[in-house]
């Protein structure tokens, strides 16, 4: 919209209040009240708000995949990522604000998985919005107590001699799993590797599946 001088006509239907049966908590109500007030004051238009959410909602794990593919192909970057995740992802234009990002590396001996036991803290600038299961009480409470079992439920078996580390995210602390690069990707470019990297592997509930071989020999 080029012209923002239109009148505000108090058409509250435009802000899409949730269905009546949806229970709104304190923060849900506060968000709607503040949003409607800011729109009424003309600080932003409803369509700008919508566009912001569209960007957020359709933002997937692509940035996380880019960061990991770079770490797999650039040892110096990997070192920077493991040392100071927030600073390293800034090289990709990702601003974590005041949040500390820790990249945790999966190896032959260690498997990492992330959770937020308190709520749903998640490295959103890298992975987009969290999946529903990540926010569920079921996942949050069980993965810290029985991580191997929960991982098995995701189809990820972790051998007994591999240590499982569960990382609890907080308001100012986020984790990104740096998965193991599959064998048989020798010589692949970062762009090619990105295509193999899935959201769940970056959360740590899955591994990166080996690439299809197409019957070719390498
Ligand atoms: Fe949280």
């Amino acid at each position: 919209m080029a012209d923002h001088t239109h009148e505000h006509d108090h058409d509250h239907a435009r802000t899409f209040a949730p269905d009546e049966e949806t229970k709104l908590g304190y923060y849900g109500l506060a968000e709607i009240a503040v949003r409607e007030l800011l729109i009424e004051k003309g600080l932003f238009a409803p369509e700008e708000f919508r566009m912001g959410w569209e960007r957020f909602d359709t933002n997937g794990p692509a940035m996380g995949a880019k960061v990991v593919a770079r770490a797999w192909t650039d040892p110096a970057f990997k070192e920077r990522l493991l040392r100071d995740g927030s600073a390293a992802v800034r090289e990709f234009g990702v601003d974590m604000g005041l949040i500390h990002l820790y990249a945790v590396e999966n190896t032959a001996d260690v498997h990492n998985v992330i959770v937020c036991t308190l709520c749903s803290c998640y490295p959103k600038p890298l992975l987009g919005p969290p999946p529903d299961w990540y926010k569920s009480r079921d996942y949050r409470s069980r993965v810290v107590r029985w991580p191997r079992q929960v991982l098995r439920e995701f189809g990820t078996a972790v051998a007994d001699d591999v240590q499982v580390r569960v990382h609890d995210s907080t308001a100012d602390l986020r984790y990104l799993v740096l998965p193991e690069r599959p064998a048989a990707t020798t010589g692949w470019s970062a762009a090619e590797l990105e295509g193999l990297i899935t959201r769940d592997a970056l959360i740590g509930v899955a591994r990166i599946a080996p690439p299809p071989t197409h019957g070719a020999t390498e």
Side-chain angles (χ1 to χ4, degrees):
M1 270 214 169
D3 182 13
H4 278 188
T5 57
H6 60 269
E7 282 188 17
H8 294 281
D9 53 8
H10 295 268
D11 180 0
H12 286 274
R14 286 192 303 187
T15 59
F16 299 101
D19 297 343
E20 268 171 42
E21 63 265 29
T22 308
K23 249 201 177 152
L24 273 180
Y26 172 83
Y27 291 106
L29 283 168
E31 185 275 321
I32 291 173
V34 171
R35 168 166 30 114
E36 289 188 344
L37 186 68
L38 293 176
I39 288 170
E40 208 175 292
K41 296 264 182 205
L43 271 90
F44 55 80
E47 58 270 32
E48 292 172 296
F49 179 80
R50 182 200 59 73
M51 282 161 59
W53 269 107
E54 181 177 340
R55 264 197 305 278
F56 175 72
D57 272 343
T58 54
N59 186 12
M63 188 53 78
K66 240 183 228 306
V67 168
V68 165
R70 172 84 183 276
W72 281 348
T73 51
D74 179 346
F77 176 77
K78 179 178 158 181
E79 204 190 300
R80 292 199 293 280
L81 180 67
L82 293 174
R83 194 175 49 223
D84 184 344
S86 302
V89 300
R90 214 171 291 134
E91 297 176 31
F92 286 82
V94 177
D95 182 8
M96 295 298 294
L98 295 173
I99 294 171
H100 295 284
L101 176 73
Y102 286 95
V104 286
E105 186 182 15
N106 283 351
T107 65
D109 306 311
V110 176
H111 184 93
N112 296 283
V113 58
I114 67 176
V115 65
C116 175
T117 53
L118 201 63
C119 43
S120 57
C121 299
Y122 188 73
K124 295 189 186 86
L126 295 164
L127 301 188
D132 286 342
W133 58 258
Y134 185 85
K135 298 183 273 185
S136 71
R137 191 176 291 272
D138 189 48
Y139 176 74
R140 286 158 40 215
S141 58
R142 292 170 65 245
V143 75
V144 284
R145 286 201 217 170
W146 305 290
R148 283 170 201 277
Q149 187 189 322
V150 170
L151 287 170
R152 261 198 307 278
E153 291 165 14
F154 278 98
T156 305
V158 179
D160 290 342
D161 59 345
V162 174
Q163 190 192 1
V164 177
R165 291 186 191 153
V166 183
H167 302 274
D168 194 2
S169 316
T170 67
D172 50 18
L173 188 63
R174 301 296 150 84
Y175 295 94
L176 176 74
V177 173
L178 177 53
E180 279 188 283
R181 177 173 171 169
T185 58
T186 314
W188 285 40
S189 68
E192 289 170 310
L193 290 164
E194 273 173 42
L196 295 176
I197 298 166
T198 63
R199 177 197 68 195
D200 285 2
L202 302 178
I203 300 174
V205 295
R207 291 194 184 85
I208 303 289
T213 56
H214 301 295
T217 50
E218 267 200 321

